Amino acid sequence: MGRVFSGLQPTGELHIGNYIGALKQFTDQSGHYYCVVDLHSLTAEPDPATLHDRTLDLAALLVALGLGRKSCVFIQSQVSAHAEMTWLLACEARTGELNRMTQFKSKGRNRPQSSVGLFLYPVLMAADILLYDIEEVPVGDDQRQHLELIRDVAMRLNSRYGDVVSVPKAVIPKLGGRVFSLTDPTQKMSKSDPDPMSKVLLTDSDQLIVKKIKAAVTDSGREVSHDPKAKPGISNLLEMAAVLSGESVASWVERYRASGYGAFKQAVADQVVAVVGPLRDEALRIRRDEAELERILASGRERATEQAERRLVAVKRAIGLHLPGGHP
Ligand code: AQP
């Protein structure tokens, strides 16, 4: 992978869909930036104390994944270039483009009380990515449209001012790019779904994970087979198990085709526990060692700031803003 950026919001608790769609693709390499995007989460108007705690919980989870040594793990609001770049890019993005975003359509359009932040959400995302000369953005399928917009804004900027930013591309897993709800397998698994049984959280106990997978809505019939249209529930569990085990869907089907849904669900639950259990325990351990966590975040902030400021100055110069000292 080339230079990578991925941002996660400290809203709600992360679920297995976030893990499969995004986190699982993260690797600890220099030139990779993993960011707790707390500014984005303000669009959900969080309670201040909860936001503060969840920001550290999420940072601990990223460190538990083994990130933050060579790669940068940092908190978005601690690098002020993100907010500044957002304004510069807001003047490049078009209201028509932002109005077409399905996330804005579903969460904010035609609601006079919805915040301007919700409308500008993809512009802040563009700032996050364009500040770091990013080539690849590992995300779930729900972010495809935002990434297309960011590419358009980057290309517009480059055609007006010369090649001033890199044009990134989304990296969406072929399998697991969209993990579906356990209670309604036609809908995306979602942090904001109020039904706790709809999602496996990365903080769930082993027992709760087993309970949720066993209760997952499945389809009529008894045969375990992969057919997302006719059998969305079983297909969702098959894809989840395949991605988490590193085996193919076909091998899971072969093993459980005739075993009935009960034994199949138990095996899927065991697989989910095998991945989530150690990650959850390690994240808790790191979260308790706040001094060490703050040290990793400070190092991430320092390195991120250096890179972000460099790109911000280059963009300002290209646009014609007067830099301190008057250098052209
Ligand atoms: N169901 C999913 N399947 C695969 N990938 C997913 N992602 C989210 N849901 C799924 C990916 O996870 C990353 C998390 O980004 P985020 O923290 O900004 O996520 P979010 O939007 O707060 O989480 P949700 O669950 O998508 O929240 P709702 O639906 O409530 O707004 C992203 O890369 C995303 O693609």
Side-chain angles (χ1 to χ4, degrees):
M1 266 195 175
R3 292 172 69 87
V4 163
F5 181 97
S6 197
L8 294 145
Q9 296 190 79
T11 41
E13 286 177 275
L14 267 70
H15 51 69
I16 194 74
N18 299 132
Y19 178 81
I20 291 175
L23 297 172
K24 188 173 181 297
Q25 305 180 71
F26 298 175
T27 55
D28 189 41
Q29 291 179 41
S30 66
H32 287 206
Y33 295 84
Y34 302 109
C35 185
V36 179
V37 291
D38 53 348
L39 295 176
H40 277 99
S41 75
L42 297 181
T43 57
E45 298 173 32
D47 162 68
T50 310
L51 171 62
H52 186 267
D53 278 353
R54 287 200 168 145
T55 299
L56 289 180
D57 293 346
L58 183 47
L61 181 67
L62 292 172
V63 174
L65 282 167
L67 307 172
R69 278 100 186 153
K70 294 184 185 154
S71 58
C72 270
V73 170
F74 69 105
I75 297 173
Q76 185 187 33
S77 63
Q78 294 183 0
V79 180
S80 58
H82 289 244
E84 235 183 302
M85 183 76 156
T86 298
W87 177 255
L88 304 183
L89 297 179
C91 296
E92 291 299 326
R94 302 289 169 248
T95 54
E97 289 172 325
L98 296 177
N99 255 319
R100 277 198 296 278
M101 294 297 108
T102 42
Q103 182 174 295
F104 178 63
K105 279 195 213 165
S106 67
K107 293 188 176 172
R109 203 163 75 177
N110 300 328
R111 292 187 200 149
Q113 291 311 314
S114 71
S115 71
V116 175
L118 209 51
F119 186 61
L120 285 177
Y121 186 105
V123 182
L124 177 56
M125 200 170 153
D128 297 338
I129 294 167
L130 300 186
L131 280 172
Y132 296 94
D133 303 345
I134 293 306
E135 295 156 67
E136 301 185 353
V137 185
V139 279
D141 180 63
D142 58 331
Q143 293 300 325
R144 190 186 294 274
Q145 194 189 29
H146 284 163
L147 257 297
E148 281 307 313
L149 170 78
I150 292 165
R151 286 171 61 81
D152 289 346
V153 170
M155 288 189 276
R156 193 173 306 137
L157 202 68
N158 285 345
S159 75
R160 276 185 75 176
Y161 303 110
D163 282 344
V164 68
V165 290
S166 300
V167 180
K169 70 168 196 287
V171 180
I172 299 169
K174 283 201 178 67
L175 200 60
R178 185 168 290 246
V179 174
F180 293 92
S181 157
L182 298 178
T183 46
D184 178 357
T186 62
Q187 299 299 317
K188 184 178 89 104
M189 187 180 283
S190 186
K191 279 183 192 163
S192 54
D193 190 327
D195 182 354
M197 294 300 281
S198 69
K199 54 201 159 182
V200 169
L201 300 179
L202 300 183
T203 49
D204 281 345
S205 68
D206 294 355
Q207 294 85 331
L208 190 53
I209 294 173
V210 174
K211 183 175 165 198
K212 287 180 176 179
I213 301 280
K214 283 195 159 174
V217 168
T218 37
D219 321 289
S220 56
R222 282 186 47 80
E223 194 188 82
V224 172
S225 62
H226 188 247
D227 182 344
K229 282 223 168 68
K231 284 181 171 262
I234 289 292
S235 302
N236 189 35
L237 294 180
L238 271 170
E239 291 183 15
M240 215 185 277
V243 174
L244 294 176
S245 63
E247 295 170 287
S248 65
V249 167
S251 72
W252 274 82
V253 170
E254 198 176 318
R255 217 171 319 142
Y256 293 99
R257 185 187 301 280
S259 68
Y261 288 170
F264 168 64
K265 282 176 159 181
Q266 180 66 53
V268 175
D270 291 344
Q271 181 59 62
V272 176
V273 166
V275 172
V276 172
L279 182 60
R280 173 198 62 217
D281 296 346
E282 179 64 357
L284 271 176
R285 189 190 66 74
I286 292 165
R287 180 70 170 88
R288 280 193 288 263
D289 189 355
E290 217 161 286
E292 173 63 2
L293 185 55
E294 289 294 355
R295 193 196 58 73
I296 294 171
L297 289 172
S299 153
R301 182 187 68 232
E302 207 174 294
R303 288 177 287 149
T305 301
E306 201 184 305
Q307 163 63 35
E309 285 295 334
R310 204 178 313 131
R311 181 54 47 205
L312 182 66
V313 165
V315 173
K316 283 179 168 175
R317 181 180 288 126
I319 288 177
L321 297 178
H322 190 72
L323 297 171
H327 297 299

